[in-house]
Amino acid sequence: MPREVGEQYKQLLKQYIANQSEVDLYAGQNFSRSFIEKEISPEDLIGIHKTAIEELVIDLPVEVPHSFDFLIEMMIHYGLALREHHSLIKKQEAHEIEITIAAKVQDTLLKTKIPNIEGLDIGLLSVPAKKISGDYIYFMDEKENSASVAVADVIGKGIPAALCMSMIKFGMDSLQNGESRPHNVLDVVNRIVEKSVDDSMFISMFYGKYDAGESVFSYSSAGHEPALLYKASKGIFIELDAKGLLLGVKKNVIYEENSVVLEEGDFIAMMTDGVTEVRTEEGFIDEALLKSLLIKIKDYTAQEMVDSVFKELEQVQNFVLRDDFSIVIFKKDEKMFK
């Protein structure tokens, strides 16, 4: 600590004690810049002040220097805590910038276009709980009379999840029409994930393909939530589940593929667990509530249905999304034309 700084400070303090003028106070404020330039810490500044007071004030009560010693110790620890706090704030700000950039990249890379298929009404809604979603809904390019959709949920959030979903998208885009059978798609994506993704990250996925010519919906699942098929003629729901491990668990997995025929008024709701595991103050909603809600809106268009499901379930959890919320509905409706 430069000695001349202490002497200058003492003279400024002496003048202020004697006059207590605004001019002297302003001079002290300007002089404080020299402490920053010379990187003098707050505790060292208190030490300078203590020395100056002891030299300026005759018969200074012994309690006063002791109080400055106490303040010095306080400032040492306070300074450390303050620097750590500022460091954390800077890191958080940098992280927020990264998250914002990643969210924009995700929106750009993972955009999907809803197919326009004769006789099939499609509704889609995906709302992230945070800036970056761990859910993923993607429609594959198909020939004119079919539509395929992947509904995935990455176990793991943030930037790694966004990058993982981008990799899945490009993997699916590499498939040709002949390779787009649901079980084959999951097999290809699983090999990509198992080879390229960290062991701590897994993906569940439901993949479905609708053939408009045959009115057949084929599907496979990699440990994902079962889709719900509503049969209008019987007024009942059927769970569409198929055996298959989560993506990325191991390299060689056989994915079961099943199929159902859709009749007029039938619809299939494919969801992530942000829909099926909505939490309220009393606990998780049960499946009966979701089914009753879908029955109530079964005559809506597919988009009106997904919008209504979101509004109802958002309300029961006090408008606070605890998980990403994604749902897509395929509804057989002969009034739909290309």
Side-chain angles (χ1 to χ4, degrees), residues 182-246:
H183 74 279
N184 186 67
V185 172
L186 292 186
D187 178 58
V188 171
V189 174
N190 177 64
R191 291 173 186 272
I192 294 173
V193 172
E194 193 275 334
K195 182 184 298 184
S196 308
V197 176
D198 186 85
D199 290 341
S200 63
M201 186 176 293
F202 304 105
I203 302 99
S204 70
M205 180 184 287
F206 182 93
Y207 190 88
K209 180 174 183 177
Y210 178 71
D211 184 331
E214 301 293 332
S215 296
V216 172
F217 181 81
S218 303
Y219 61 94
S220 293
S221 177
H224 196 77
E225 298 287 321
L228 289 177
L229 164 63
Y230 177 73
K231 295 298 295 180
S233 60
K234 299 179 181 178
I236 61 171
F237 281 98
I238 299 172
E239 285 194 354
L240 302 185
D241 198 8
K243 295 179 181 179
L245 284 175
L246 292 166

Side-chain angles (χ1 to χ4, degrees), residues 70-233:
F70 179 79
L71 183 57
I72 288 171
E73 290 300 316
M74 292 287 290
M75 289 304 296
I76 290 173
H77 293 284
Y78 172 75
L80 292 172
L82 186 61
R83 284 191 288 272
E84 182 179 359
H85 176 68
H86 285 163
S87 176
L88 290 174
I89 289 177
K90 288 181 179 179
K91 289 180 181 179
Q92 185 176 11
E93 289 174 346
H95 181 67
E96 284 297 319
I97 292 173
E98 291 178 356
I99 289 293
T100 300
I101 293 173
K104 291 180 179 178
V105 171
Q106 185 184 47
D107 289 341
T108 301
L109 292 178
L110 303 182
K111 281 183 178 178
T112 189
K113 183 179 179 181
I114 297 178
N116 192 3
I117 304 297
E118 184 174 349
L120 182 66
D121 187 14
I122 300 176
L124 164 65
L125 182 71
S126 186
V127 182
K130 297 181 180 179
K131 285 186 177 180
I132 296 183
S133 177
D135 286 358
Y136 177 40
I137 295 180
Y138 184 65
F139 296 97
M140 279 185 66
D141 291 331
E142 295 280 4
K143 54 188 179 181
E144 288 187 2
N145 66 337
S146 66
S148 294
V149 63
V151 180
D153 187 353
V154 180
I155 302 172
K157 307 298 181 185
I159 296 175
L163 294 175
C164 178
M165 287 188 290
S166 299
M167 183 170 52
I168 292 172
K169 173 189 180 295
F170 291 121
M172 289 192 295
D173 282 344
S174 68
L175 298 172
Q176 302 300 316
N177 285 334
E179 301 173 310
S180 63
R181 297 296 308 176
H183 74 279
N184 186 67
V185 172
L186 292 186
D187 178 58
V188 171
V189 174
N190 177 64
R191 291 173 186 272
I192 294 173
V193 172
E194 193 275 334
K195 182 184 298 184
S196 308
V197 176
D198 186 85
D199 290 341
S200 63
M201 186 176 293
F202 304 105
I203 302 99
S204 70
M205 180 184 287
F206 182 93
Y207 190 88
K209 180 174 183 177
Y210 178 71
D211 184 331
E214 301 293 332
S215 296
V216 172
F217 181 81
S218 303
Y219 61 94
S220 293
S221 177
H224 196 77
E225 298 287 321
L228 289 177
L229 164 63
Y230 177 73
K231 295 298 295 180
S233 60

Side-chain angles (χ1 to χ4, degrees), residues 62-73:
V62 67
E63 292 83 2
V64 175
H66 291 336
S67 71
F68 283 123
D69 291 337
F70 179 79
L71 183 57
I72 288 171
E73 290 300 316

Side-chain angles (χ1 to χ4, degrees), residues 269-330:
M270 295 160 276
M271 304 155 285
T272 60
D273 58 11
V275 181
T276 58
E277 296 180 2
V278 165
R279 282 174 287 179
T280 67
E281 294 179 356
E282 289 74 31
F284 292 103
I285 65 168
D286 56 23
E287 191 177 85
L289 174 62
L290 180 58
K291 289 179 178 179
S292 65
L293 173 58
L294 288 169
I295 289 177
K296 185 171 66 174
I297 58 176
K298 62 183 176 62
D299 295 325
Y300 290 11
T301 67
Q303 190 59 47
E304 289 173 342
M305 291 179 72
V306 297
D307 291 338
S308 295
V309 170
F310 176 71
K311 289 177 182 177
E312 289 285 342
L313 295 185
E314 183 187 35
Q315 185 173 357
V316 301
Q317 54 186 327
N318 295 321
F319 302 97
V320 178
L321 286 184
R322 295 178 176 83
D323 197 0
D324 304 319
F325 188 106
S326 298
I327 179 171
V328 59
I329 286 180
F330 277 14

